PDB file of all heavy atoms in Angstrom:
ATOM      1  N   GLY A  22     152.828  94.508  74.268  1.00 90.00           N
ATOM      2  CA  GLY A  22     152.328  93.154  74.162  1.00 90.00           C
ATOM      3  C   GLY A  22     150.825  93.061  74.095  1.00 90.00           C
ATOM      4  O   GLY A  22     150.280  91.990  73.834  1.00 90.00           O
ATOM      5  N   PHE A  23     150.131  94.215  74.281  1.00 94.00           N
ATOM      6  CA  PHE A  23     148.686  94.233  74.182  1.00 94.00           C
ATOM      7  C   PHE A  23     148.277  95.679  73.947  1.00 94.00           C
ATOM      8  O   PHE A  23     148.800  96.610  74.586  1.00 94.00           O
ATOM      9  CB  PHE A  23     148.049  93.727  75.507  1.00 94.00           C
ATOM     10  CG  PHE A  23     146.688  93.159  75.317  1.00 94.00           C
ATOM     11  CD1 PHE A  23     146.471  91.895  74.824  1.00 94.00           C
ATOM     12  CD2 PHE A  23     145.544  93.912  75.632  1.00 94.00           C
ATOM     13  CE1 PHE A  23     145.170  91.384  74.624  1.00 94.00           C
ATOM     14  CE2 PHE A  23     144.268  93.439  75.473  1.00 94.00           C
ATOM     15  CZ  PHE A  23     144.119  92.141  74.963  1.00 94.00           C
ATOM     16  N   ASP A  24     147.324  95.865  72.996  1.00 95.00           N
ATOM     17  CA  ASP A  24     146.915  97.242  72.647  1.00 95.00           C
ATOM     18  C   ASP A  24     145.422  97.341  72.655  1.00 95.00           C
ATOM     19  O   ASP A  24     144.706  96.559  71.991  1.00 95.00           O
ATOM     20  CB  ASP A  24     147.455  97.543  71.240  1.00 95.00           C
ATOM     21  CG  ASP A  24     147.057  98.930  70.754  1.00 95.00           C
ATOM     22  OD1 ASP A  24     146.617  99.739  71.580  1.00 95.00           O
ATOM     23  OD2 ASP A  24     147.222  99.175  69.545  1.00 95.00           O
ATOM     24  N   CYS A  25     144.907  98.295  73.438  1.00 95.00           N
ATOM     25  CA  CYS A  25     143.442  98.448  73.572  1.00 95.00           C
ATOM     26  C   CYS A  25     142.749  98.744  72.236  1.00 95.00           C
ATOM     27  O   CYS A  25     141.580  98.379  72.074  1.00 95.00           O
ATOM     28  CB  CYS A  25     143.180  99.588  74.568  1.00 95.00           C
ATOM     29  SG  CYS A  25     143.872 101.192  74.090  1.00 95.00           S
ATOM     30  N   ASP A  26     143.416  99.415  71.314  1.00 95.00           N
ATOM     31  CA  ASP A  26     142.796  99.818  70.051  1.00 95.00           C
ATOM     32  C   ASP A  26     142.795  98.733  68.978  1.00 95.00           C
ATOM     33  O   ASP A  26     141.954  98.776  68.057  1.00 95.00           O
ATOM     34  CB  ASP A  26     143.417 101.076  69.525  1.00 95.00           C
ATOM     35  CG  ASP A  26     143.176 102.282  70.474  1.00 95.00           C
ATOM     36  OD1 ASP A  26     142.001 102.436  70.891  1.00 95.00           O
ATOM     37  OD2 ASP A  26     144.111 103.042  70.753  1.00 95.00           O
ATOM     38  N   THR A  27     143.753  97.809  69.083  1.00 94.00           N
ATOM     39  CA  THR A  27     143.887  96.848  67.964  1.00 94.00           C
ATOM     40  C   THR A  27     143.547  95.420  68.376  1.00 94.00           C
ATOM     41  O   THR A  27     143.503  94.520  67.512  1.00 94.00           O
ATOM     42  CB  THR A  27     145.345  96.858  67.385  1.00 94.00           C
ATOM     43  OG1 THR A  27     146.253  96.514  68.444  1.00 94.00           O
ATOM     44  CG2 THR A  27     145.665  98.248  66.847  1.00 94.00           C
ATOM     45  N   CYS A  28     143.360  95.147  69.652  1.00 95.00           N
ATOM     46  CA  CYS A  28     143.032  93.786  70.089  1.00 95.00           C
ATOM     47  C   CYS A  28     141.660  93.411  69.582  1.00 95.00           C
ATOM     48  O   CYS A  28     140.766  94.276  69.430  1.00 95.00           O
ATOM     49  CB  CYS A  28     143.078  93.662  71.630  1.00 95.00           C
ATOM     50  SG  CYS A  28     141.850  94.583  72.547  1.00 95.00           S
ATOM     51  N   GLY A  29     141.456  92.119  69.329  1.00 96.00           N
ATOM     52  CA  GLY A  29     140.128  91.634  68.938  1.00 96.00           C
ATOM     53  C   GLY A  29     139.205  91.462  70.134  1.00 96.00           C
ATOM     54  O   GLY A  29     139.668  91.142  71.191  1.00 96.00           O
ATOM     55  N   ILE A  30     137.946  91.714  69.993  1.00 97.00           N
ATOM     56  CA  ILE A  30     136.992  91.554  71.073  1.00 97.00           C
ATOM     57  C   ILE A  30     135.798  90.746  70.562  1.00 97.00           C
ATOM     58  O   ILE A  30     135.145  91.127  69.568  1.00 97.00           O
ATOM     59  CB  ILE A  30     136.512  92.911  71.619  1.00 97.00           C
ATOM     60  CG1 ILE A  30     137.724  93.667  72.266  1.00 97.00           C
ATOM     61  CG2 ILE A  30     135.399  92.708  72.666  1.00 97.00           C
ATOM     62  CD1 ILE A  30     137.373  94.986  72.897  1.00 97.00           C
ATOM     63  N   ILE A  31     135.526  89.648  71.206  1.00 96.00           N
ATOM     64  CA  ILE A  31     134.391  88.771  70.907  1.00 96.00           C
ATOM     65  C   ILE A  31     133.353  88.880  72.072  1.00 96.00           C
ATOM     66  O   ILE A  31     133.767  88.799  73.233  1.00 96.00           O
ATOM     67  CB  ILE A  31     134.833  87.326  70.710  1.00 96.00           C
ATOM     68  CG1 ILE A  31     135.848  87.160  69.549  1.00 96.00           C
ATOM     69  CG2 ILE A  31     133.631  86.387  70.492  1.00 96.00           C
ATOM     70  CD1 ILE A  31     136.482  85.795  69.480  1.00 96.00           C
ATOM     71  N   THR A  32     132.108  89.028  71.704  1.00 95.00           N
ATOM     72  CA  THR A  32     131.081  89.068  72.745  1.00 95.00           C
ATOM     73  C   THR A  32     130.132  87.898  72.494  1.00 95.00           C
ATOM     74  O   THR A  32     129.726  87.592  71.371  1.00 95.00           O
ATOM     75  CB  THR A  32     130.282  90.369  72.777  1.00 95.00           C
ATOM     76  OG1 THR A  32     129.678  90.582  71.503  1.00 95.00           O
ATOM     77  CG2 THR A  32     131.197  91.525  73.115  1.00 95.00           C
ATOM     78  N   ASN A  33     129.757  87.253  73.545  1.00 93.00           N
ATOM     79  CA  ASN A  33     128.839  86.036  73.474  1.00 93.00           C
ATOM     80  C   ASN A  33     127.898  86.128  74.663  1.00 93.00           C
ATOM     81  O   ASN A  33     128.167  85.565  75.733  1.00 93.00           O
ATOM     82  CB  ASN A  33     129.687  84.774  73.479  1.00 93.00           C
ATOM     83  CG  ASN A  33     128.836  83.530  73.391  1.00 93.00           C
ATOM     84  OD1 ASN A  33     127.741  83.576  72.871  1.00 93.00           O
ATOM     85  ND2 ASN A  33     129.318  82.426  73.936  1.00 93.00           N
ATOM     86  N   ILE A  34     126.809  86.854  74.542  1.00 90.00           N
ATOM     87  CA  ILE A  34     125.900  87.165  75.632  1.00 90.00           C
ATOM     88  C   ILE A  34     124.520  86.539  75.404  1.00 90.00           C
ATOM     89  O   ILE A  34     123.937  86.696  74.360  1.00 90.00           O
ATOM     90  CB  ILE A  34     125.733  88.682  75.821  1.00 90.00           C
ATOM     91  CG1 ILE A  34     127.112  89.359  75.944  1.00 90.00           C
ATOM     92  CG2 ILE A  34     124.841  88.996  77.023  1.00 90.00           C
ATOM     93  CD1 ILE A  34     127.896  88.995  77.191  1.00 90.00           C
ATOM     94  N   ASP A  35     124.053  85.883  76.429  1.00 86.00           N
ATOM     95  CA  ASP A  35     122.648  85.334  76.447  1.00 86.00           C
ATOM     96  C   ASP A  35     121.923  85.991  77.610  1.00 86.00           C
ATOM     97  O   ASP A  35     122.484  86.755  78.392  1.00 86.00           O
ATOM     98  CB  ASP A  35     122.695  83.779  76.601  1.00 86.00           C
ATOM     99  CG  ASP A  35     121.438  83.134  76.053  1.00 86.00           C
ATOM    100  OD1 ASP A  35     120.449  83.854  75.757  1.00 86.00           O
ATOM    101  OD2 ASP A  35     121.448  81.887  75.919  1.00 86.00           O
ATOM    102  N   GLU A  36     120.605  85.715  77.758  1.00 81.00           N
ATOM    103  CA  GLU A  36     119.844  86.255  78.863  1.00 81.00           C
ATOM    104  C   GLU A  36     119.902  85.282  80.073  1.00 81.00           C
ATOM    105  O   GLU A  36     120.230  84.129  79.910  1.00 81.00           O
ATOM    106  CB  GLU A  36     118.422  86.522  78.459  1.00 81.00           C
ATOM    107  CG  GLU A  36     117.611  85.285  78.114  1.00 81.00           C
ATOM    108  CD  GLU A  36     116.191  85.636  77.678  1.00 81.00           C
ATOM    109  OE1 GLU A  36     115.807  86.824  77.731  1.00 81.00           O
ATOM    110  OE2 GLU A  36     115.446  84.676  77.310  1.00 81.00           O
ATOM    111  N   GLN A  37     119.543  85.828  81.270  1.00 68.00           N
ATOM    112  CA  GLN A  37     119.508  84.971  82.408  1.00 68.00           C
ATOM    113  C   GLN A  37     118.462  83.860  82.257  1.00 68.00           C
ATOM    114  O   GLN A  37     117.396  84.088  81.689  1.00 68.00           O
ATOM    115  CB  GLN A  37     119.176  85.799  83.662  1.00 68.00           C
ATOM    116  CG  GLN A  37     119.178  84.953  84.970  1.00 68.00           C
ATOM    117  CD  GLN A  37     118.745  85.778  86.170  1.00 68.00           C
ATOM    118  OE1 GLN A  37     117.635  86.275  86.228  1.00 68.00           O
ATOM    119  NE2 GLN A  37     119.660  85.917  87.137  1.00 68.00           N
ATOM    120  N   SER A  38     118.826  82.680  82.705  1.00 57.00           N
ATOM    121  CA  SER A  38     117.882  81.527  82.650  1.00 57.00           C
ATOM    122  C   SER A  38     116.584  81.878  83.350  1.00 57.00           C
ATOM    123  O   SER A  38     116.514  82.357  84.487  1.00 57.00           O
ATOM    124  CB  SER A  38     118.555  80.307  83.340  1.00 57.00           C
ATOM    125  OG  SER A  38     117.580  79.375  83.682  1.00 57.00           O
ATOM    126  N   GLY A  39     115.495  81.544  82.674  1.00 56.00           N
ATOM    127  CA  GLY A  39     114.155  81.742  83.259  1.00 56.00           C
ATOM    128  C   GLY A  39     113.957  80.919  84.540  1.00 56.00           C
ATOM    129  O   GLY A  39     113.259  81.332  85.463  1.00 56.00           O
ATOM    130  N   ASP A  40     114.642  79.781  84.616  1.00 48.00           N
ATOM    131  CA  ASP A  40     114.539  78.902  85.805  1.00 48.00           C
ATOM    132  C   ASP A  40     115.139  79.580  87.018  1.00 48.00           C
ATOM    133  O   ASP A  40     114.633  79.461  88.135  1.00 48.00           O
ATOM    134  CB  ASP A  40     115.206  77.556  85.546  1.00 48.00           C
ATOM    135  CG  ASP A  40     114.467  76.733  84.489  1.00 48.00           C
ATOM    136  OD1 ASP A  40     113.336  77.092  84.138  1.00 48.00           O
ATOM    137  OD2 ASP A  40     115.040  75.735  84.032  1.00 48.00           O
ATOM    138  N   ILE A  41     116.275  80.254  86.793  1.00 52.00           N
ATOM    139  CA  ILE A  41     116.924  80.976  87.903  1.00 52.00           C
ATOM    140  C   ILE A  41     116.064  82.168  88.299  1.00 52.00           C
ATOM    141  O   ILE A  41     115.836  82.449  89.471  1.00 52.00           O
ATOM    142  CB  ILE A  41     118.352  81.418  87.503  1.00 52.00           C
ATOM    143  CG1 ILE A  41     119.240  80.190  87.305  1.00 52.00           C
ATOM    144  CG2 ILE A  41     118.907  82.370  88.549  1.00 52.00           C
ATOM    145  CD1 ILE A  41     120.616  80.535  86.773  1.00 52.00           C
ATOM    146  N   ALA A  42     115.574  82.910  87.301  1.00 50.00           N
ATOM    147  CA  ALA A  42     114.789  84.122  87.542  1.00 50.00           C
ATOM    148  C   ALA A  42     113.559  83.823  88.402  1.00 50.00           C
ATOM    149  O   ALA A  42     113.129  84.671  89.162  1.00 50.00           O
ATOM    150  CB  ALA A  42     114.367  84.798  86.262  1.00 50.00           C
ATOM    151  N   LEU A  43     112.967  82.639  88.245  1.00 48.00           N
ATOM    152  CA  LEU A  43     111.798  82.259  89.047  1.00 48.00           C
ATOM    153  C   LEU A  43     111.998  82.442  90.546  1.00 48.00           C
ATOM    154  O   LEU A  43     111.141  82.903  91.227  1.00 48.00           O
ATOM    155  CB  LEU A  43     111.374  80.812  88.740  1.00 48.00           C
ATOM    156  CG  LEU A  43     110.602  80.545  87.447  1.00 48.00           C
ATOM    157  CD1 LEU A  43     110.481  79.037  87.263  1.00 48.00           C
ATOM    158  CD2 LEU A  43     109.210  81.206  87.467  1.00 48.00           C
ATOM    159  N   GLY A  44     113.187  81.973  91.001  1.00 48.00           N
ATOM    160  CA  GLY A  44     113.445  82.061  92.421  1.00 48.00           C
ATOM    161  C   GLY A  44     114.011  83.352  92.903  1.00 48.00           C
ATOM    162  O   GLY A  44     113.822  83.740  94.030  1.00 48.00           O
ATOM    163  N   VAL A  45     114.658  84.100  91.988  1.00 54.00           N
ATOM    164  CA  VAL A  45     115.216  85.387  92.351  1.00 54.00           C
ATOM    165  C   VAL A  45     114.149  86.460  92.362  1.00 54.00           C
ATOM    166  O   VAL A  45     114.083  87.309  93.294  1.00 54.00           O
ATOM    167  CB  VAL A  45     116.346  85.797  91.401  1.00 54.00           C
ATOM    168  CG1 VAL A  45     116.905  87.172  91.739  1.00 54.00           C
ATOM    169  CG2 VAL A  45     117.437  84.753  91.403  1.00 54.00           C
ATOM    170  N   ASP A  46     113.252  86.467  91.419  1.00 52.00           N
ATOM    171  CA  ASP A  46     112.187  87.455  91.321  1.00 52.00           C
ATOM    172  C   ASP A  46     111.234  87.366  92.531  1.00 52.00           C
ATOM    173  O   ASP A  46     110.793  88.385  93.065  1.00 52.00           O
ATOM    174  CB  ASP A  46     111.371  87.282  90.053  1.00 52.00           C
ATOM    175  CG  ASP A  46     112.211  87.615  88.813  1.00 52.00           C
ATOM    176  OD1 ASP A  46     113.218  88.308  88.931  1.00 52.00           O
ATOM    177  OD2 ASP A  46     111.814  87.155  87.699  1.00 52.00           O
ATOM    178  N   GLN A  47     110.936  86.150  92.944  1.00 50.00           N
ATOM    179  CA  GLN A  47     110.008  85.962  94.072  1.00 50.00           C
ATOM    180  C   GLN A  47     110.488  84.728  94.878  1.00 50.00           C
ATOM    181  O   GLN A  47     110.544  83.628  94.374  1.00 50.00           O
ATOM    182  CB  GLN A  47     108.558  85.747  93.625  1.00 50.00           C
ATOM    183  CG  GLN A  47     107.610  85.767  94.770  1.00 50.00           C
ATOM    184  CD  GLN A  47     106.155  85.647  94.282  1.00 50.00           C
ATOM    185  OE1 GLN A  47     105.892  84.927  93.343  1.00 50.00           O
ATOM    186  NE2 GLN A  47     105.227  86.338  94.975  1.00 50.00           N
ATOM    187  N   SER A  48     110.851  85.015  96.120  1.00 45.00           N
ATOM    188  CA  SER A  48     111.411  83.955  96.943  1.00 45.00           C
ATOM    189  C   SER A  48     110.366  82.905  97.355  1.00 45.00           C
ATOM    190  O   SER A  48     109.149  83.133  97.241  1.00 45.00           O
ATOM    191  CB  SER A  48     111.998  84.552  98.246  1.00 45.00           C
ATOM    192  OG  SER A  48     110.966  85.011  99.096  1.00 45.00           O
ATOM    193  N   LEU A  49     110.819  81.761  97.836  1.00 43.00           N
ATOM    194  CA  LEU A  49     109.959  80.714  98.302  1.00 43.00           C
ATOM    195  C   LEU A  49     109.057  81.226  99.454  1.00 43.00           C
ATOM    196  O   LEU A  49     107.883  80.914  99.492  1.00 43.00           O
ATOM    197  CB  LEU A  49     110.761  79.519  98.784  1.00 43.00           C
ATOM    198  CG  LEU A  49     110.007  78.257  99.228  1.00 43.00           C
ATOM    199  CD1 LEU A  49     109.319  77.638  98.037  1.00 43.00           C
ATOM    200  CD2 LEU A  49     110.944  77.282  99.856  1.00 43.00           C
ATOM    201  N   GLU A  50     109.643  82.033 100.355  1.00 47.00           N
ATOM    202  CA  GLU A  50     108.851  82.550 101.436  1.00 47.00           C
ATOM    203  C   GLU A  50     107.746  83.478 100.995  1.00 47.00           C
ATOM    204  O   GLU A  50     106.597  83.444 101.454  1.00 47.00           O
ATOM    205  CB  GLU A  50     109.762  83.346 102.405  1.00 47.00           C
ATOM    206  CG  GLU A  50     110.838  82.512 103.070  1.00 47.00           C
ATOM    207  CD  GLU A  50     112.163  82.629 102.399  1.00 47.00           C
ATOM    208  OE1 GLU A  50     112.187  82.670 101.160  1.00 47.00           O
ATOM    209  OE2 GLU A  50     113.173  82.732 103.091  1.00 47.00           O
ATOM    210  N   ALA A  51     108.065  84.334  99.970  1.00 49.00           N
ATOM    211  CA  ALA A  51     107.072  85.247  99.446  1.00 49.00           C
ATOM    212  C   ALA A  51     105.920  84.481  98.788  1.00 49.00           C
ATOM    213  O   ALA A  51     104.761  84.873  98.908  1.00 49.00           O
ATOM    214  CB  ALA A  51     107.743  86.214  98.474  1.00 49.00           C
ATOM    215  N   LYS A  52     106.273  83.424  98.088  1.00 44.00           N
ATOM    216  CA  LYS A  52     105.227  82.629  97.423  1.00 44.00           C
ATOM    217  C   LYS A  52     104.289  81.978  98.453  1.00 44.00           C
ATOM    218  O   LYS A  52     103.089  81.881  98.280  1.00 44.00           O
ATOM    219  CB  LYS A  52     105.878  81.571  96.537  1.00 44.00           C
ATOM    220  CG  LYS A  52     106.584  82.125  95.316  1.00 44.00           C
ATOM    221  CD  LYS A  52     107.420  81.037  94.630  1.00 44.00           C
ATOM    222  CE  LYS A  52     108.234  81.619  93.503  1.00 44.00           C
ATOM    223  NZ  LYS A  52     109.154  80.643  92.891  1.00 44.00           N
ATOM    224  N   ALA A  53     104.899  81.564  99.582  1.00 48.00           N
ATOM    225  CA  ALA A  53     104.097  80.846 100.596  1.00 48.00           C
ATOM    226  C   ALA A  53     103.367  81.797 101.532  1.00 48.00           C
ATOM    227  O   ALA A  53     102.234  81.531 101.934  1.00 48.00           O
ATOM    228  CB  ALA A  53     105.045  79.964 101.433  1.00 48.00           C
ATOM    229  N   GLU A  54     103.995  82.970 101.840  1.00 53.00           N
ATOM    230  CA  GLU A  54     103.459  83.849 102.871  1.00 53.00           C
ATOM    231  C   GLU A  54     102.941  85.141 102.332  1.00 53.00           C
ATOM    232  O   GLU A  54     102.266  85.924 103.090  1.00 53.00           O
ATOM    233  CB  GLU A  54     104.543  84.125 103.925  1.00 53.00           C
ATOM    234  CG  GLU A  54     105.104  82.859 104.584  1.00 53.00           C
ATOM    235  CD  GLU A  54     106.349  83.173 105.379  1.00 53.00           C
ATOM    236  OE1 GLU A  54     106.564  84.322 105.765  1.00 53.00           O
ATOM    237  OE2 GLU A  54     107.128  82.238 105.634  1.00 53.00           O
ATOM    238  N   GLY A  55     103.246  85.465 101.077  1.00 52.00           N
ATOM    239  CA  GLY A  55     102.757  86.754 100.499  1.00 52.00           C
ATOM    240  C   GLY A  55     103.413  87.969 101.128  1.00 52.00           C
ATOM    241  O   GLY A  55     102.864  89.020 101.167  1.00 52.00           O
ATOM    242  N   ASP A  56     104.635  87.738 101.655  1.00 52.00           N
ATOM    243  CA  ASP A  56     105.353  88.859 102.335  1.00 52.00           C
ATOM    244  C   ASP A  56     106.224  89.596 101.317  1.00 52.00           C
ATOM    245  O   ASP A  56     107.217  89.074 100.848  1.00 52.00           O
ATOM    246  CB  ASP A  56     106.198  88.278 103.478  1.00 52.00           C
ATOM    247  CG  ASP A  56     106.874  89.367 104.309  1.00 52.00           C
ATOM    248  OD1 ASP A  56     106.861  90.553 103.869  1.00 52.00           O
ATOM    249  OD2 ASP A  56     107.432  89.053 105.375  1.00 52.00           O
ATOM    250  N   SER A  57     105.888  90.823 100.939  1.00 54.00           N
ATOM    251  CA  SER A  57     106.632  91.559  99.938  1.00 54.00           C
ATOM    252  C   SER A  57     108.055  91.881 100.413  1.00 54.00           C
ATOM    253  O   SER A  57     108.912  92.165  99.586  1.00 54.00           O
ATOM    254  CB  SER A  57     105.895  92.872  99.589  1.00 54.00           C
ATOM    255  OG  SER A  57     105.816  93.723 100.741  1.00 54.00           O
ATOM    256  N   GLN A  58     108.268  91.891 101.730  1.00 53.00           N
ATOM    257  CA  GLN A  58     109.631  92.176 102.237  1.00 53.00           C
ATOM    258  C   GLN A  58     110.577  91.005 101.901  1.00 53.00           C
ATOM    259  O   GLN A  58     111.785  91.152 102.050  1.00 53.00           O
ATOM    260  CB  GLN A  58     109.600  92.371 103.762  1.00 53.00           C
ATOM    261  CG  GLN A  58     108.832  93.611 104.154  1.00 53.00           C
ATOM    262  CD  GLN A  58     109.462  94.874 103.599  1.00 53.00           C
ATOM    263  OE1 GLN A  58     110.658  95.094 103.726  1.00 53.00           O
ATOM    264  NE2 GLN A  58     108.675  95.691 102.926  1.00 53.00           N
ATOM    265  N   LEU A  59     110.060  89.884 101.522  1.00 52.00           N
ATOM    266  CA  LEU A  59     110.868  88.723 101.183  1.00 52.00           C
ATOM    267  C   LEU A  59     110.845  88.411  99.701  1.00 52.00           C
ATOM    268  O   LEU A  59     111.010  87.260  99.251  1.00 52.00           O
ATOM    269  CB  LEU A  59     110.369  87.500 101.979  1.00 52.00           C
ATOM    270  CG  LEU A  59     110.518  87.566 103.495  1.00 52.00           C
ATOM    271  CD1 LEU A  59     109.729  86.416 104.139  1.00 52.00           C
ATOM    272  CD2 LEU A  59     111.986  87.461 103.897  1.00 52.00           C
ATOM    273  N   ASP A  60     110.561  89.423  98.893  1.00 62.00           N
ATOM    274  CA  ASP A  60     110.347  89.210  97.472  1.00 62.00           C
ATOM    275  C   ASP A  60     111.489  88.498  96.779  1.00 62.00           C
ATOM    276  O   ASP A  60     111.297  87.626  95.966  1.00 62.00           O
ATOM    277  CB  ASP A  60     110.033  90.525  96.777  1.00 62.00           C
ATOM    278  CG  ASP A  60     108.519  90.745  96.664  1.00 62.00           C
ATOM    279  OD1 ASP A  60     107.783  89.838  97.049  1.00 62.00           O
ATOM    280  OD2 ASP A  60     108.144  91.809  96.170  1.00 62.00           O
ATOM    281  N   ASN A  61     112.714  88.953  97.021  1.00 65.00           N
ATOM    282  CA  ASN A  61     113.834  88.427  96.299  1.00 65.00           C
ATOM    283  C   ASN A  61     114.449  87.197  96.984  1.00 65.00           C
ATOM    284  O   ASN A  61     114.844  87.265  98.168  1.00 65.00           O
ATOM    285  CB  ASN A  61     114.939  89.507  96.123  1.00 65.00           C
ATOM    286  CG  ASN A  61     114.430  90.657  95.260  1.00 65.00           C
ATOM    287  OD1 ASN A  61     114.400  91.817  95.699  1.00 65.00           O
ATOM    288  ND2 ASN A  61     114.049  90.341  94.052  1.00 65.00           N
ATOM    289  N   GLY A  62     114.564  86.126  96.262  1.00 54.00           N
ATOM    290  CA  GLY A  62     115.270  84.960  96.754  1.00 54.00           C
ATOM    291  C   GLY A  62     116.761  85.051  96.429  1.00 54.00           C
ATOM    292  O   GLY A  62     117.197  85.828  95.606  1.00 54.00           O
ATOM    293  N   ALA A  63     117.578  84.208  97.061  1.00 58.00           N
ATOM    294  CA  ALA A  63     118.996  84.124  96.746  1.00 58.00           C
ATOM    295  C   ALA A  63     119.187  83.684  95.329  1.00 58.00           C
ATOM    296  O   ALA A  63     118.473  82.797  94.828  1.00 58.00           O
ATOM    297  CB  ALA A  63     119.725  83.194  97.730  1.00 58.00           C
TER     298      ALA A  63
END
């Protein structure tokens, strides 16, 4: 009912939103306190 070699595969990939990356790359605490240990935000 399904075959790895003959099934069709569609890919639709974009990059991570820059708005999200702003908070992940540097957390709110790191921006306020300059603490490198807190670099990554949720």
Side-chain angles (χ1 to χ4, degrees):
F23 205 80
D24 179 14
C25 59
D26 293 316
T27 61
C28 67
I30 296 181
I31 299 172
T32 59
N33 180 26
I34 305 296
D35 204 347
E36 64 181 357
Q37 184 184 60
S38 160
D40 293 347
I41 294 174
L43 280 173
V45 178
D46 293 340
Q47 189 176 36
S48 70
L49 184 67
E50 297 99 319
K52 292 170 185 173
E54 302 168 21
D56 185 348
S57 62
Q58 294 299 308
L59 293 168
D60 265 356
N61 295 122

